[in-house]
């Protein structure tokens, strides 16, 4: 394996493991399954709910993360406390995590990467 890409491969594993942890938590109400979806190139990671809660359709993205330009871009994070602390605890440097759900002018104040 190319050692230059080794951190990216580790980050892919970390992202998938974190999302799988949340996917394994049973949905509280109704017949809803949570899936981890990883793109073929392993650069997009999504956590998605799908199913029914009584007569209401449940379908939506809970987390969307992307590996872009050797950084992890968090496009959407609907986890109560977010996944960024878990990424940092797993060894991903803060300067390699972009909170893309914030406008660029706000990102500089987050303590994470700007872009």
């Amino acid at each position: 394996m190319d050692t230059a890409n080794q951190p990216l491969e580790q980050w892919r594993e970390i992202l998938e493991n974190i999302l799988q942890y949340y996917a394994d938590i049973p949905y509280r109400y109704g017949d809803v399954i949570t899936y981890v979806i990883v793109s073929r190139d392993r650069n997009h990671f999504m956590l998605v709910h799908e199913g029914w809660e009584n007569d209401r359709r449940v379908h939506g993205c809970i987390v969307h993360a992307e590996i872009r330009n050797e950084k992890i871009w968090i496009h959407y994070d609907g986890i109560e406390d977010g996944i960024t602390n878990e990424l940092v605890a797993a060894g991903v440097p803060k300067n390699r995590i972009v909170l893309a759900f914030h406008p660029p002018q706000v990102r500089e104040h987050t303590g994470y990467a700007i872009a």
Side-chain angles (χ1 to χ4, degrees):
M1 176 186 291
D2 180 5
T3 55
N5 288 329
Q6 191 169 6
L8 296 180
E9 285 305 313
Q10 289 173 344
W11 296 351
R12 287 178 175 103
E13 287 181 33
I14 290 166
L15 273 167
E16 194 166 350
N17 289 338
I18 289 170
L19 295 183
Q20 190 60 56
Y21 166 80
Y22 287 104
D24 290 341
I25 297 171
Y27 194 81
R28 232 182 273 203
Y29 311 102
D31 183 21
V32 177
I33 298 173
T34 305
Y35 298 97
V36 175
I37 300 171
V38 180
S39 64
R40 186 174 291 181
D41 63 4
R42 296 194 73 221
N43 286 329
H44 284 270
F45 299 79
M46 297 180 80
L47 186 66
V48 176
H49 284 322
E50 181 273 321
W52 291 91
E53 186 177 315
N54 298 318
D55 293 332
R56 186 176 71 90
R57 180 72 174 149
V58 176
H59 186 274
C61 177
I62 309 308
V63 175
H64 177 200
E66 175 189 15
I67 294 185
R68 180 196 302 174
N69 299 328
E70 299 184 0
K71 294 181 182 166
I72 297 176
W73 289 64
I74 308 296
H75 294 291
Y76 182 78
D77 191 349
I79 301 292
E80 187 172 342
D81 292 324
I83 65 167
T84 51
N85 289 335
E86 292 175 72
L87 290 169
V88 172
V92 180
K94 282 184 158 188
N95 67 353
R96 293 296 189 182
I97 300 171
V98 178
L99 303 180
F101 52 83
H102 288 305
Q105 65 273 19
V106 173
R107 293 181 202 155
E108 64 186 89
H109 305 290
T110 65
Y112 292 89
I114 296 171

